[in-house]
Amino acid sequence: MKIGDKQYSLRFDSKQWSGRVDSISRSLLQWYRNQGRDLPWRNSQDPYCIWVSEIMLQQTQVERVKEYFHNFLLRFPTVFELAKAEEAVVLKYWEGLGYYRRARQLHLAAKKIVSDYDGKFPQDVRALQQLPGIGRYTAGAIASIAFDLPEPILEANSRRVLARLIHFDSPLSGGKSEQPLWDVAASLVPRDGGAGAFNQALMDLGSLICRPVSPFCNECSLVDHCQAYQLGNVDRIPYMPKRKSTQKLEEKAYVLVHEGKLLVVRRQPGEWWEGLWDFPRTIPENMAARGPQRHQGVISYSVTHHKITCQVLSKMISQRPAVRRHKRWLLPREIQKLPMTSPGRRIARLAEKVLF
Ligand code: SF4
């Protein structure tokens, strides 16, 4: 089958495919008009809102993003407000959403849009991809939804729909392995208006109908075109190579207390949660501890493919040595205002309950 100027050995032949393109687009758009999701960021064509929502949606469920999107836009209503904010404030508004690198890159990109483009988003996918944190998918989403440019997108939901549609059964492990699906997406996206709606329709169909397990094929507007359905291979496609197995780790976290204040440390570059505050995982050598070490509880959390069990211990510190900028002695109410890692926030609650 030929897609664009490339030849692929897929089950459609080129003639069949080009004969179906219009029908697939039409069916999908009609379904979307009646059944598409009503999401807060869908009421806007402002590239800033679309960009913020797309970055939040990476690795995060829609329902969770809804909670954060509203507050984030209230605090940073424009790219100018975001660019001039302190990084710590941006992280605070991201706290609990996870994958904090996204927030730091969003902030850096906002500064670049203000300094290099006068606060106006470039209307070109190549220029968009030069901005921190904007990859091929996000650039395509901004260009198609905000500027109605015929740019394709490929993310988890649309990838699944397209792979099933053309019975693409090769392993999908990112990068070049996904190029055929990018080409299919590009061949389908309407050139004469409606690119943004089409891309959003594809994502919605993947989310609501073409689910990873037990898709609702009987309700699907693309069923007549779907090769995986017709060949009875829906459960096998897309073929994703196995993820890394989970690694179990154990660690200790310390609540060090001096005159009602607790020691917190800021995560450094190269560490998980860079820029966020947390409790130390060791007792600094220059601190003189007094009294017994107390067991405050155990928390468990996951980061990437690690599952971590953390024992929380507390210790009184008799003398408080000077600490560097990435460490602070703070009252619990001051700690509440810091952007914190999610285990750090749980340790703080545990410490408050038991110590005060
Ligand atoms: S027919 Fe089934 S597998 Fe094919 S696109 Fe529709 S929901 Fe997905």
Side-chain angles (χ1 to χ4, degrees):
M1 159 179 161
K2 202 158 188 253
I3 306 172
D5 55 359
K6 294 191 202 104
Q7 191 71 39
Y8 292 109
S9 55
L10 300 172
R11 283 172 196 269
F12 283 119
D13 65 30
S14 306
K15 222 168 158 191
Q16 276 179 322
W17 181 250
S18 54
R20 284 172 188 249
V21 163
D22 281 350
S23 168
I24 290 172
S25 297
R26 256 198 324 275
S27 307
L28 194 56
L29 282 167
Q30 194 177 352
W31 170 83
Y32 179 64
R33 275 192 288 276
N34 299 323
Q35 312 276 334
R37 291 177 291 183
D38 180 20
L39 301 172
W41 42 91
R42 295 263 170 96
N43 302 323
S44 168
Q45 279 198 300
D46 177 353
Y48 175 69
C49 295
I50 290 158
W51 172 51
V52 170
S53 70
E54 290 299 340
I55 299 291
M56 286 186 171
L57 285 164
Q58 292 168 9
Q59 324 269 0
T60 308
Q61 300 288 324
V62 167
E63 288 308 311
R64 191 139 180 77
V65 169
K66 281 184 191 171
E67 292 167 32
Y68 282 80
F69 179 74
H70 179 71
N71 287 341
F72 196 89
L73 283 197
L74 272 184
R75 174 62 183 81
F76 312 109
T78 66
V79 70
F80 296 100
E81 302 295 329
L82 181 58
K84 71 179 184 215
E86 294 282 326
E87 185 187 276
V89 179
V90 179
L91 290 174
K92 183 70 191 158
Y93 276 78
W94 204 271
E95 187 183 310
L97 204 51
Y99 298 95
Y100 294 89
R101 188 158 190 267
R102 294 180 297 174
R104 285 195 300 275
Q105 297 218 307
L106 193 77
H107 188 217
L108 285 177
K111 290 180 182 217
K112 210 162 157 50
I113 292 166
V114 168
S115 64
D116 297 5
Y117 297 98
D118 248 353
K120 295 192 183 73
F121 276 72
Q123 296 193 18
D124 172 82
V125 281
R126 273 158 297 277
L128 284 165
Q129 284 182 77
Q130 298 302 313
L131 295 167
I134 298 192
R136 194 172 177 185
Y137 161 71
T138 310
I142 298 170
S144 61
I145 301 168
F147 306 125
D148 203 20
L149 295 172
E151 294 291 347
I153 54 132
L154 198 66
E155 43 65 79
N157 288 317
S158 51
R159 183 198 293 127
R160 187 167 56 254
V161 175
L162 296 176
R164 286 171 171 169
L165 196 62
I166 63 167
H167 199 278
F168 188 74
D169 55 3
S170 303
L172 286 173
S173 49
K176 282 193 182 148
S177 70
E178 299 194 343
Q179 188 56 43
L181 296 183
W182 277 102
D183 292 334
V184 170
S187 75
L188 287 172
V189 73
R191 323 239 129 227
D192 46 3
F198 175 83
N199 284 339
Q200 290 177 105
L202 210 49
M203 290 190 273
D204 281 12
L205 192 84
S207 169
L208 302 174
I209 304 287
C210 192
R211 307 179 313 170
V213 179
S214 310
F216 300 121
C217 298
N218 293 337
E219 297 174 30
C220 178
S221 56
L222 302 186
V223 69
D224 292 343
H225 303 286
C226 180
Q227 296 294 288
Y229 176 78
Q230 280 157 31
L231 294 165
N233 282 334
V234 163
D235 296 341
R236 283 205 311 116
I237 295 177
Y239 173 52
M240 309 296 278
K242 274 196 178 158
R243 289 184 180 178
K244 274 189 191 172
S245 58
T246 306
Q247 204 184 338
K248 289 187 177 172
L249 296 177
E250 293 195 354
E251 66 175 15
K252 290 176 182 164
Y254 289 92
V255 178
L256 301 176
V257 188
H258 179 78
E259 293 177 356
K261 292 192 171 182
L262 311 179
L263 182 71
V264 285
V265 294
R266 194 170 181 192
R267 294 278 186 156
Q268 296 300 290
E271 291 187 294
W272 290 328
W273 296 296
E274 178 191 337
L276 274 82
W277 292 85
D278 202 344
F279 286 84
R281 296 301 189 260
T282 54
I283 301 179
E285 277 176 11
N286 57 354
M287 277 182 202
R290 71 174 158 80
Q293 180 166 280
R294 283 170 51 187
H295 188 259
Q296 304 292 161
V298 177
I299 60 165
S300 311
Y301 60 95
S302 300
V303 189
T304 61
H305 61 286
H306 299 89
K307 194 162 174 41
I308 299 162
T309 306
C310 177
Q311 269 195 69
V312 182
L313 304 163
S314 66
K315 193 105 184 133
M316 294 295 163
I317 299 296
S318 50
Q319 265 192 328
R320 198 175 99 185
V323 286
R324 296 189 188 180
R325 277 185 63 201
H326 67 281
K327 291 181 181 162
R328 286 189 199 164
W329 287 98
L330 295 175
L331 293 166
R333 63 182 149 77
E334 294 170 316
I335 289 175
Q336 272 183 14
K337 293 182 193 153
L338 291 177
M340 280 212 112
T341 68
S342 53
R345 187 61 71 207
R346 288 167 65 194
I347 295 168
R349 280 199 289 269
L350 208 54
E352 268 190 74
K353 217 186 276 175
V354 181
L355 293 173
F356 302 100

